Amino acid sequence: MHPRYADVHAAIRSLCEGEDDPIALMATVACELHHSFDHFNWTGFYRVVSPGLLKIGPYQGGHGCLVIPFARGVCGAAAREERTQLVPDVDAFPGHIACASSTRSEIVVPVFDASGALIAVLDVDSDTPDAFDKDDQEALETLMAEVFAKHPA
Ligand code: SME
């Protein structure tokens, strides 16, 4: 695991201690992650607001599109498959939704609550090609479980 993740996990654990509001947790996680890694150029959540539909949640970076059906984009694939999407080249991902023309790679991690229900996806975009790897996937999946799977939405 990238050593920076250990520091970020510790900071988020401390900041979120005792908090169970999902929006407050998402805002804190997005802020801490975004400001901890220079290559995280957009960091935020899309929330499951109805069956098959995601809507934007707390994020850091340029404006993000407001609504994403599960049928579309990298976020939709992560929500539909309930599986992390590791995208080294967004131009090679069929149906990628480009909120910024500068985005080159992306990782999207499903977020589950304590009951195991999908409540959101965490989306991280980078202007750096192939910026994310299995270590990022493992660290972000662990962080999502630690923060959100303790608190039913
Ligand atoms: N790239 C995402 C859309 C969200 S914007 O990047 C913030 C996708 O393809 O689902």
Side-chain angles (χ1 to χ4, degrees):
M1 182 187 295
H2 188 299
R4 192 86 186 89
Y5 277 116
D7 295 341
V8 176
H9 279 217
I12 289 171
R13 193 177 297 120
S14 171
L15 289 165
C16 294
E17 178 66 36
E19 183 54 64
D20 64 2
D21 176 76
I23 299 299
L25 294 171
M26 290 176 189
T28 304
V29 169
C31 177
E32 288 304 303
L33 284 174
H34 190 74
H35 294 288
S36 294
F37 297 96
D38 290 342
H39 61 292
F40 283 27
N41 297 107
W42 195 96
T43 313
F45 291 86
Y46 282 87
R47 299 163 298 120
V48 179
V49 295
S50 61
L53 191 64
L54 296 165
K55 279 198 178 180
I56 200 160
Y59 68 93
Q60 302 266 326
H63 70 270
C65 56
L66 299 185
V67 180
I68 301 178
F70 280 28
R72 295 193 59 220
V74 184
C75 292
R80 196 170 60 242
E81 300 173 17
E82 297 192 0
R83 188 170 56 85
T84 294
Q85 306 292 310
L86 195 50
V87 183
D89 175 6
V90 295
D91 292 334
F93 189 95
H96 168 256
I97 301 168
C99 292
S101 58
S102 58
T103 300
R104 291 290 169 270
S105 62
E106 184 165 3
I107 184 169
V108 183
V109 177
V111 181
F112 304 98
D113 69 11
S115 72
L118 181 79
I119 60 170
V121 297
L122 168 71
D123 180 19
V124 185
D125 296 340
S126 182
D127 295 347
T128 304
D130 199 12
F132 308 105
D133 61 19
K134 287 294 185 186
D135 287 344
D136 293 285
Q137 177 175 341
E138 180 187 349
L140 293 173
E141 288 175 348
T142 300
L143 181 62
M144 292 306 103
E146 182 174 316
V147 174
F148 296 97
K150 286 189 301 189
H151 308 288

